[in-house]
Amino acid sequence: MSNTLSERLAAAPVVPLIGENDAVRAVKTAEALGAGGLSVIEVVMRSDDAQRGMEAILAETEGLIVGAGTVLTVDQAKSVVASGAEFIVSPGLVDDIARYCLDEGIPFFPGTMTAGEVQRAYALGLREVKFFPASLAGGVPMLKAFSSVFREMRFMPTGGVSTSNLSEFLVLPSVLACGGSWLTPKDAVAVGDYSKITNLAEEAVAIARSVR
Ligand code: 3PG
């Protein structure tokens, strides 16, 4: 993982997801998150327009580290990196994406939810993984069990994380950061209530500071 990314996550260990199709709204959402203290942002590739939204954020904002999420193939990984993605997140572990990212020095967070998947990630040379879907994959007790055997691995729980359980995850030393969409509610984006997004980001930063 790059020094800058790891420093940013140490300062504010929360990665908001942007799933907005409209590029203008995606940029405003990213700016609102940055204003609230969250500067590492994952744009999920779940529509044909998502990559353009990520490109617009990269072109029109400053001070953010922007990655691509929901990357399913190595070709897609190459494409989002060509667009400027600074890290890649996948829902699962695909070896050729991992090898490509390791070769290129691009931080890669593949989803894992079993000991076998974490061990395969470790064997490939990864030391940071997503833990997905965190709430269904066993939550905090599962992460504690993983951490006792995978001493070098750090986890990014995502899926079911929110204001109500963020501190329970962040208190674990093996948790690098938590990811989630609760910071970018669709209804707030739809009506242009970007101050709500900034407030949610500030709340997440405050929770993180209270436990770290
Ligand atoms: C992901 O892509 O990581 C999840 O869909 C996010 O889950 P959440 O909506 O529960 O945060």
Side-chain angles (χ1 to χ4, degrees), residues 39-128:
S39 63
V40 179
I41 288 170
E42 176 187 336
V43 183
V44 293
M45 298 296 120
R46 296 190 197 163
S47 75
D48 294 341
D49 296 326
Q51 195 163 335
R52 276 195 290 279
M54 183 188 75
E55 288 166 355
I57 294 169
L58 283 159
E60 294 173 35
T61 65
E62 283 182 10
L64 302 177
I65 295 181
V66 183
T70 323
V71 171
L72 302 181
T73 67
V74 72
D75 285 343
Q76 194 181 13
K78 289 176 183 171
S79 174
V80 294
V81 168
S83 286
E86 292 162 280
F87 62 92
I88 289 182
V89 184
S90 291
L93 174 58
V94 173
D95 293 16
D96 61 358
I97 302 180
R99 289 198 187 95
Y100 163 71
C101 289
L102 287 163
D103 286 349
E104 298 294 324
I106 297 157
F108 175 49
F109 304 95
T112 58
M113 66 179 293
T114 66
E117 289 164 352
V118 178
Q119 191 166 334
R120 198 165 102 230
Y122 182 83
L124 282 162
L126 297 168
R127 294 295 178 267
E128 287 113 15

Side-chain angles (χ1 to χ4, degrees), residues 127-196:
R127 294 295 178 267
E128 287 113 15
V129 291
K130 176 171 166 172
F131 176 56
F132 177 75
S135 53
L136 298 173
V140 167
M142 189 65 132
L143 278 174
K144 283 185 178 166
F146 281 170
S147 304
S148 65
V149 285
F150 300 113
R151 290 180 298 119
E152 293 170 60
M153 294 303 279
R154 302 197 71 200
F155 299 89
M156 185 156 69
T158 309
V161 181
S162 68
T163 306
S164 63
N165 59 8
L166 179 62
S167 64
E168 293 164 31
F169 285 103
L170 288 182
V171 83
L172 303 180
S174 64
V175 168
L176 174 70
C178 288
S181 66
W182 86 92
L183 298 137
T184 56
K186 283 194 188 319
D187 54 350
V189 178
V191 298
D193 186 1
Y194 298 107
S195 60
K196 177 168 182 179

